[in-house]
């Protein structure tokens, strides 16, 4: 009954969307989900994108949520979300991807960790592998890099905020984006560990499902995202979409 009710609600939402497609002014709801800490990333211009989108389509209601990346993919494919913003990793044939921005990932330890007072010059990868490692539980660049480097995962999380807590405990090594960790580094609560050998970069993309084709509302939001993130190859003019 619950599944049938959810399917009915999606059908009603799609019906409203199709009706709105006929109207001159865009109206309705757009459902967008993102993963974790984009607000502190200077490369991410999502807040500015929302500002521009609301100027262009003030009658459209935005539903914004934060979800794990695997949940975002599933919900976009099923139609429960219109747009997801996730790290580029193992693309799905059911989704279209528009690259937006990136972030630099570094390995960190807390100030109570045995490595905090050690110089990087005295460390090597073999020694790092002896310590407990905390990483994301979902399939992601974080998971793959941890496996490739041979770290012993002793704790797993679904968000970077939870990962930061484990690192701050002083019992785990873990990866965080530099823009999120900066506040803790400035307070001398964390430090990077062997950055020259452990750093990697993640790219983020906006995803939509391929079928059925995106609505005018979704196309407009994607256009604004592309324009704000300097991706003219995927941006369409807003005036053409309204």
């Amino acid at each position: 009954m619950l599944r049938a009710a959810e399917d009915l609600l999606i059908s009603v939402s799609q019906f409203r969307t199709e009706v709105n497609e006929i109207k001159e002014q865009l109206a309705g709801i757009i459902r967008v989900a993102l993963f974790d800490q984009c607000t502190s990333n200077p490369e991410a211009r999502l807040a500015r994108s929302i500002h521009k989108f609301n100027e262009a389509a003030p009658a459209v209601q935005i539903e914004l949520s934060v979800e794990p990346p695997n949940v975002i993919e599933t919900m976009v494919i099923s139609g429960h979300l219109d747009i997801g913003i996730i790290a580029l990793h193992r693309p799905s044939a059911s989704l279209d991807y528009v690259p937006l921005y990136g972030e630099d990932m570094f390995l960190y330890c807390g100030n109570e960790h045995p490595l905090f007072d050690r110089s990087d010059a005295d460390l090597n990868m073999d020694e790092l592998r002896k310590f407990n490692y905390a990483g994301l539980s979902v399939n992601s660049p974080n998971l793959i890099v941890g496996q490739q480097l041979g770290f012993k995962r002793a704790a797993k999380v679904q968000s970077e905020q939870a990962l930061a807590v484990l690192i701050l405990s002083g019992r785990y090594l873990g990866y965080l984006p530099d823009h999120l960790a900066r506040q803790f580094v400035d307070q001398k609560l964390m430090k990077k560990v062997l950055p020259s050998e452990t750093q990697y970069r993640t790219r983020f993309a906006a995803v939509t499902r391929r079928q059925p084709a995106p609505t005018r509302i979704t196309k407009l939001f994607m256009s604004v995202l592309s324009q704000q993130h300097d991706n003219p190859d995927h941006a369409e003019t807003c005036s053409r979409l309204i």
Side-chain angles (χ1 to χ4, degrees):
M1 287 293 293
L2 178 59
R3 190 179 302 111
E6 289 176 343
D7 291 342
L8 175 61
L9 290 173
I10 292 174
S11 297
V12 171
S13 177
Q14 290 174 342
F15 172 76
R16 287 174 176 168
T17 298
E18 290 173 7
V19 171
N20 286 329
E21 291 284 287
I22 303 171
K23 299 178 180 178
E24 282 191 22
Q25 182 185 27
L26 290 179
I29 299 173
I30 186 165
R31 300 154 299 179
V32 182
L34 49 92
F35 174 66
D36 252 353
Q37 303 300 318
C38 68
T39 52
S40 58
N41 186 348
E43 295 187 36
R45 302 184 182 96
L46 299 182
R48 188 62 183 168
S49 299
I50 290 172
H51 179 100
K52 290 295 186 181
F53 175 82
N54 183 253
E55 281 185 338
V60 175
Q61 178 182 333
I62 298 176
E63 293 183 0
L64 187 65
S65 61
V66 177
E67 308 286 350
N70 58 323
V71 173
I72 293 175
E73 287 183 319
T74 300
M75 292 180 71
V76 172
I77 291 171
S78 68
H80 287 78
L81 287 173
D82 300 300
I83 298 173
I85 298 174
I86 57 176
L88 277 170
H89 170 68
R90 203 178 63 179
S92 167
S94 301
L95 298 172
D96 284 324
Y97 296 77
V98 175
L100 297 178
Y101 59 89
E103 64 183 9
D104 293 312
M105 304 292 294
F106 292 90
L107 190 69
Y108 290 90
C109 71
N111 63 0
E112 293 187 81
H113 195 278
L115 296 180
F116 189 80
D117 295 320
R118 295 275 302 275
S119 168
D120 284 339
D122 298 329
L123 295 176
N124 57 56
M125 291 302 299
D126 287 336
E127 188 164 6
L128 294 191
R129 294 185 185 102
K130 298 176 184 177
F131 293 95
N132 288 337
Y133 170 77
L136 296 180
S137 60
V138 298
N139 209 324
S140 62
N142 176 283
L143 179 63
I144 297 302
V145 170
Q147 292 173 342
Q148 290 175 341
L149 294 178
F151 289 137
K152 178 179 64 178
R153 192 171 72 174
K156 52 187 179 181
V157 299
Q158 291 196 23
S159 75
E160 289 173 340
Q161 284 287 8
L163 190 51
V165 171
L166 291 177
I167 296 170
L168 288 168
S169 76
R171 301 298 296 174
Y172 301 90
L173 301 175
Y175 276 102
L176 289 175
D178 59 345
H179 57 84
L180 172 59
R182 189 172 296 119
Q183 59 180 312
F184 304 114
V185 172
D186 291 344
Q187 297 175 64
K188 297 185 174 10
L189 298 175
M190 280 186 196
K191 78 163 192 174
K192 296 175 183 176
V193 180
L194 213 59
S196 61
E197 297 186 45
T198 59
Q199 184 263 346
Y200 71 94
R201 184 166 174 82
T202 298
R203 290 290 298 170
F204 284 80
V207 298
T208 56
R209 62 175 176 170
R210 292 189 172 177
Q211 296 296 332
T215 65
R216 285 196 302 152
I217 293 174
T218 300
K219 287 179 180 178
L220 174 60
F221 200 100
M222 291 293 287
S223 173
V224 173
L225 281 174
S226 295
Q227 291 167 354
Q228 293 302 310
H229 290 88
D230 301 322
N231 193 346
D233 292 339
H234 294 88
E236 302 174 63
T237 59
C238 293
S239 60
R240 186 187 307 166
L241 294 170
I242 298 177

